[in-house]
Structure formats: structure tokens, C-alpha cells
Amino acid sequence: MATLLRHLISGVGAASVALAGSLALATPGEAAPTAASVVPPPANATFDYQIGEAYRLPTGVTVVSRDRTDAPAPGAYNICYVNAFQTQPEEKGAPLAEGTIGWWRKNQPGLLLKDARGREVVDEEWDEVLLDTSTAAKRSALAGIVGGWITGCATSGFKAIEPDNIDSYQRSKKLLSKTDAIAYLQLLVSRAHAAGLAIAQKNTTELGSAGKTAGLDFAIAEECGAEDECGYYTRVYGDRVIDIEYEDKDGGREGFATACAAIGARTSVVLRDEDVTAPGSRSYVYKAC
């Protein structure tokens, strides 16, 4: 499950397109970060999920995930949300932002997944077009662009990356495979680690241990309690797991209770509202165990 609200991606500008295919590990004159400098979030820290809207951290929160267009929270371990496998929807009346479907169509239409009739393949639930990871050349080009966003996260002060929609291959009408996703992930891992950032597996239990083998450092799961999947993440990543359950009509609090009982004593588990709103919203929900 992806969350409902995501900020539109903006930032690194058209210059990032020129980075397509480039996997440089350090800027000229700057030493590449060592493996020891990549630090995943602390296990069982109090966490908040703020990818819908950034706001002041609740008391006790020391780890937070925010959209890459938002500033990191002072004094906390900040995780940078990046929609790495699909496009962002456009906001009516807003300027064309990098990473939106209009931006991809204008600048890199060949990196959008299309079927045999030339039609874009769309994740219908979120109205996001899938990015085409089907060939090494396209994966390299995508890693150049998305890698620029990852570098931007590091420059802004984030400590880790949350690459969303790893499971887009499951919505690709069999045009993409898990193997394609893993190969692309390996490129993103290289970019993240080169920038001194840890990188998460976001959902996708179907990866098995391949994500850890590819170099992913921890996991961010949505509704592992509701879906009875928490054990998968802890088997692969140990205590370095963050789980978000959602308050909704389908019994999100039951999933929260399940996750807290199963893994809450050693991992980060929170309950949020589906729209990931800020305090003051009538739908705002936040609870940690």
C-alpha cells in the first residue's frame, strides 16, 4: 500500500537529466564516503511518518520520514521519501515539477513504461505511470535521474532513503520483473551509499532476502500487522524495521495492536491516518508503541 498524499517532486532541475547513466561516487576533489559512514536508523526508536506534510515532531520522536521536497527535522534522524519506481501526479494549477508525469513526458518519455500498443502503463490506484526498468540502459538512465534526487537528500541533511513502489513490477502487465526491480535497486543502493545514506526496502515481501543481498540496510513496511507480514521483515532485517499501520474503516487499530504485540518491543511501530495529515486536521492520527 502506498500512502495517499505525496508532495510533488521538485528540485534538482533539468540538469539531472544529464546525469542519466552516471554513477559517480564522489564529486571531484571529494572522497567517497566509506561503508562505516552509512548508518541506518536506530532500532526501536520512536518514529513518525510525515510524507504527507511536515510538522513539528511529537514529543519523544527521534526518527522521521519526510518527502524529499521538505526540510529535515532538526535534531532527528531523517529519512528521505523518494518515489523511485513511478511518476508523481500533477497538482492542478501548479508549475511543472520534476518527477511528475508531465515532467517525464516532456523530458524523458522513453523512460515511461508502455505496452505493445504504445500506451503508458498506469498504477490505477494512485494514477501514477510506471517507470521502465526493463533494460540495463534504461535502469542506468533512471538511476542517473533518481540518483540526483538521492544526492539532493544527502545535501539537505537526510540520513537515509525510502524508495517507494519497488513492487511496481507487479502492476506492469508482466512487462517488468522482480529481477528488473532488484537490478535497478542495486544502482540506487550504490548512489545512496556513495552519498553516505542508508537505504530501505519499502514493502514488497516478494523480494525475499534479495533486498538485503542487494545492499538495502533496513525496512519500512506499511500495514505488516494488518497483512500478517511483520515476521518476514524481521527475519530479513532483524530489529531494523519500521512499520506504519493506518487508521481506517478496515480496522487499522487491530493491525496496530497486532504489530505492537508481534514486533513492537524491538522495532518501531506507529499508527497514522491514511492521508498522513498534520496535527490540526480532523483526520490526524498518531500513536506509537
Side-chain angles (χ1 to χ4, degrees), residues 39-104:
V39 179
N44 202 23
T46 304
F47 171 76
D48 194 11
Y49 205 41
Q50 297 187 3
I51 69 168
E53 181 179 352
Y55 52 86
R56 185 174 180 176
L57 297 186
T59 301
V61 168
T62 58
V63 177
V64 62
S65 188
R66 287 181 171 179
D67 189 88
R68 75 176 195 85
T69 61
D70 287 323
Y77 184 105
N78 286 267
I79 302 168
C80 189
Y81 172 94
V82 176
N83 195 354
F85 285 75
Q86 297 184 178
T87 66
Q88 292 288 90
E90 293 177 333
E91 186 176 305
K92 184 175 292 186
L96 189 65
E98 187 170 15
T100 62
I101 178 55
W103 182 90
W104 285 104

Side-chain angles (χ1 to χ4, degrees), residues 80-169:
C80 189
Y81 172 94
V82 176
N83 195 354
F85 285 75
Q86 297 184 178
T87 66
Q88 292 288 90
E90 293 177 333
E91 186 176 305
K92 184 175 292 186
L96 189 65
E98 187 170 15
T100 62
I101 178 55
W103 182 90
W104 285 104
R105 286 170 178 161
K106 178 180 178 181
N107 294 283
Q108 291 288 334
L111 297 181
L112 297 173
L113 184 65
K114 299 180 179 68
D115 64 18
R117 297 175 61 182
R119 298 172 299 189
E120 295 170 346
V121 179
V122 179
D123 177 346
E124 301 290 350
E125 184 174 4
W126 305 108
D127 194 28
E128 298 176 356
V129 178
L130 276 60
L131 301 179
D132 189 349
T133 61
S134 62
T135 69
K138 289 183 177 182
R139 291 191 292 268
S140 180
L142 287 168
I145 296 168
V146 177
W149 303 344
I150 289 172
T151 301
C153 291
T155 301
S156 296
F158 288 93
K159 298 299 182 185
I161 299 295
E162 176 189 349
D164 203 8
N165 290 307
I166 295 171
D167 61 350
S168 63
Y169 65 89

